[in-house]
Amino acid sequence: MLSVICESPGMLRARHIDRPARAAGEVLLRVSRVGICGTDLHIFSGTQPYLEYPRVMGHEFSAVVVDADSDSGFERDDGVYVMPYLSCGHCVACRQGKTNCCVAIKVLGVHRDGALAEYLSVPAQFVHKAEGVTLDQAAMLEFLAIGAHAVRRADVLAGQRALVVGAGPIGMAAMIFAKLRGANVTCLDTRADRLDFCKTQLDVDAAVAVGPSDTEQLSALTNNEFFDTVFDATGNIDAMNRGFGFVAHGGKYTLISIVPGQVTFSDPEFHKRETTLLASRNATIADFETVLEAMRAGRIPDQALNTHRMRLADVPDAFPRLLEPGQTVVKALVEC
């Protein structure tokens, strides 16, 4: 089968390798679509902290069942999506239902080879039928679920003022689900094209460009009170540290981003606001179901989000261009 391997930072190669053999308890899948996300771009760039090379990337994907155990509940040609966070099921986090932060988590495409291949065999408990959505939509569930999880973590309420810093796909997902909860949503980013997209396609209430007057603009939008809930989706340590200053008194700050460094803040400012600081990692099956429900109801602009497409064989040549700002990429899908 054809597979695309990231051999080292900046080096992608298409190779023909053996098709995986299905073990008992697994489902053999023919991969249909793979979404390219920031994690994949970090792997390609050499800035992903949890990875060893070489690696087959790809953790956002949809597929079709080829073979499964007779008692699995799956039939040949079923359309499915996959929870790419392979959790152990028995650690302290899993026992609380927090499988997204399992002590021994193995993420497809990061800790073990992922979906940039024609076939993949996955433990059956992580495979779910993609009922009521297309295979294109199913491949976009994962990044949207990360945003839905962050919004659920922050317990966003109708009428609250929410700020999302970083208008990449994950930030956009947080905007979508904050809006669906009835929040007034502002986005902050450096790129004019991303801000325009958020205004025209996601219907955010305000979009502010990072610059010398951004704090004053954010203050003016909130009657000098700032935001009930702030999300950081930048992956930039300076932005993460700066975001503490945008939280209103009594507000919450949720870090969706992860960076290999130390997050720092002024304790007096943090304390007087009684800020709630939250980490938000991955997503759970409940978050995927939240996204599926919204998708089936037509409340997700998935066609607008899917800005680029490529074939699996073309990934080594086409992938590097996704890093070019002029490409205005939101979500690229690979057709396998």
Side-chain angles (χ1 to χ4, degrees), residues 82-93:
V82 174
M83 280 282 291
Y85 326 118
L86 308 188
S87 51
C88 72
H90 55 75
C91 72
V92 61

Side-chain angles (χ1 to χ4, degrees), residues 137-153:
Q137 290 175 313
M140 289 190 273
L141 286 171
E142 194 268 349
F143 86 91
L144 290 164
I146 291 175
H149 181 74
V151 168
R152 180 163 66 92
R153 284 277 287 155

